[in-house]
Amino acid sequence: MNDEWVLSNGLRVVGERLPYLRSVSVGVWLRVGSMMELPEENGLSHFLEHMVFKGTTKRNTRQIAEEMDAVGGQLNAFTSKDCTCLYAKVIDEDLPLAVDILSDLAIHATMDEGEFAKERGVILEEISMDEDSPEDLVHELLSQAMFGEQSLAMPILGTTTLISHYRREDLLAYRAKHYRPEDTVVALAGNYDPAQVEELVARFFGDWHNPGPRAQVPQASPLTGQIRAKEKDTEQLHLCLGYPGVGFGGDGIYPQAVLNNLLGGAMSSRLFQRIREELGMAYSIYTYPNSYLGCGTFAVDAGVSPKNGRQVLEEIQAQMKKLLDEGISDKEFREAKTQL
């Protein structure tokens, strides 16, 4: 049973009722991520996601945590290339508290100056942690290779230089630019009463307005034939190959998902069986699609011993050529689709 409606301020609500559950998950999805940042704003989407938990006009940091913990609920958030999500999971009877707290975070965060300084240090540590993780760093290099000067090339966390120089005023200006009801979706799944949800969302989000101009989503297009590399003193060599994929909402999303499964998305996939099982040349070998607003990518990732790097790369390319030249069998297609 699905529900959908729009508030007078433009905020959309979508829900799927699952009445056999005793829990409900609710998320506030905002159309703001690193894809929407200017070069001088890189990292602000993620910084802002951290800061909304550091106090509001109604709750301090401790109260935000304690109120959700007191009912056994879960509260968290994440930032991606094209969105920010604040979400909670609670027993169905505690849905009013979840909507209250999520609206508080999205609309009423105070961006306390003292908390701002502390959280800057947390994010700098997060960036350092990624730098120490080659299997994460290689995907950032792939983004740079595939998008060049486009905003999708920028890291979600931002850079050490930019994060170190941002001021509280930069966060406030960025929030005013991007946190808007017409660019927000409140999504629910679980056991809820539609009439109650309609009243709750109207009460906690209905008075939210942002009169400023609406930011436009930049157009992006993946590049090919680009190479990025970074040398680090590690035991493994991490390889990523990127290809154009299907954009968010495109007709090819589901065929691409089936292709991903049979090529590198499962233990029975072609790349896993050939490179890990038959040749024993990689512990980790997989493919993954990414879909963004207006464009998409399809990537192959492998973690190998440096001495096997060239042969694994050649084998990946050989498997891609085989796929293009010979296609796939009915059996592969049916099994990949069933698995998916």
Side-chain angles (χ1 to χ4, degrees):
M1 294 178 284
N2 297 327
D3 302 290
E4 184 172 355
W5 66 92
V6 181
L7 300 188
S8 59
N9 60 4
L11 181 140
R12 288 185 294 149
V13 185
V14 294
E16 181 169 352
R17 275 176 281 161
L18 305 170
Y20 48 84
L21 300 180
R22 278 301 317 273
S23 63
V24 58
S25 295
V26 54
V28 178
W29 297 76
L30 301 120
R31 192 193 70 168
V32 54
S34 59
M35 181 181 183
M36 285 71 169
E37 296 167 350
L38 298 173
E40 62 271 20
E41 297 172 331
N42 185 215
L44 282 178
S45 301
H46 175 254
F47 205 148
L48 190 51
E49 175 236 305
H50 274 234
M51 284 302 299
V52 300
F53 288 87
K54 300 306 172 183
T56 71
T57 54
K58 295 166 60 177
R59 298 171 172 91
N60 60 33
T61 305
R62 187 179 185 88
Q63 288 171 322
I64 292 169
E66 286 182 343
E67 286 189 36
M68 190 56 71
D69 285 351
V71 298
Q74 300 172 6
L75 180 67
N76 213 329
F78 65 84
T79 305
S80 70
K81 296 279 189 180
D82 55 7
C83 73
T84 299
C85 179
L86 318 174
Y87 63 93
K89 181 178 181 180
V90 291
I91 297 299
D92 48 18
E93 63 195 45
D94 295 317
L95 180 58
L97 175 66
V99 176
D100 180 2
I101 291 178
L102 289 173
S103 68
D104 209 17
L105 302 181
I107 304 171
H108 305 297
T110 55
M111 310 294 165
D112 178 80
E113 190 74 63
E115 294 289 348
F116 174 82
K118 286 191 290 185
E119 207 58 29
R120 185 205 306 277
V122 171
I123 294 172
L124 290 173
E125 288 295 325
E126 196 173 351
I127 293 172
S128 296
M129 186 171 65
D130 267 17
E131 282 287 332
D132 287 342
S133 175
E135 60 268 36
D136 292 332
L137 185 58
V138 72
H139 299 291
E140 294 292 352
L141 294 174
L142 181 65
S143 291
Q144 294 170 22
M146 292 206 74
F147 292 103
E149 299 300 317
Q150 301 171 84
S151 59
L152 273 172
M154 299 190 299
I156 294 170
L157 300 182
T159 66
T160 299
T161 300
L162 287 169
I163 297 299
S164 298
H165 289 89
Y166 285 141
R167 302 165 301 158
R168 175 177 179 269
E169 290 73 19
D170 298 319
L171 274 185
L172 293 173
Y174 190 77
R175 180 176 65 175
K177 180 179 176 182
H178 289 285
Y179 275 44
R180 313 174 59 84
E182 64 269 35
D183 288 331
T184 301
V185 174
V186 173
L188 303 97
N191 187 30
Y192 64 86
D193 173 40
Q196 182 196 36
V197 169
E198 190 167 2
E199 186 276 325
L200 286 171
V201 176
R203 186 198 328 164
F204 289 111
F205 289 92
D207 293 333
W208 182 24
H209 296 283
N210 185 339
R214 191 180 189 187
Q216 297 300 307
V217 177
Q219 296 300 306
S221 178
L223 310 171
T224 56
Q226 312 298 312
I227 299 174
R228 292 288 187 279
K230 187 163 189 174
E231 187 171 352
K232 293 184 79 73
D233 185 17
T234 60
E235 293 297 320
Q236 267 199 323
L237 168 65
H238 292 269
L239 298 170
C240 264
L241 286 78
Y243 305 86
V246 180
F248 186 77
D251 292 339
I253 283 288
Y254 296 109
Q256 179 179 252
V258 175
L259 176 68
N260 178 62
N261 262 30
L262 69 88
L263 183 62
M267 289 178 64
S268 60
S269 65
R270 289 186 178 190
L271 288 173
F272 189 94
Q273 285 297 310
R274 175 61 179 162
I275 295 174
R276 173 167 165 155
E277 298 300 292
E278 293 179 21
L279 299 178
M281 287 193 168
Y283 174 75
S284 172
I285 173 79
Y286 62 93
T287 59
Y288 66 94
N290 275 325
S291 294
Y292 308 109
L293 297 170
C295 72
T297 62
F298 188 87
V300 183
D301 179 278
V304 303
S305 171
K307 64 182 173 60
N308 293 330
R310 181 177 295 278
Q311 188 172 346
V312 168
L313 186 59
E314 290 173 351
E315 189 61 44
I316 291 171
Q317 292 171 323
Q319 289 295 319
M320 290 299 190
K321 186 176 187 302
K322 180 180 179 182
L323 178 70
L324 292 172
D325 292 345
E326 302 176 15
I328 61 175
S329 68
D330 288 340
K331 179 177 182 291
E332 277 185 303
F333 172 71
R334 288 194 305 270
E335 290 179 353
K337 189 170 69 166
T338 301
Q339 182 188 50
L340 185 64

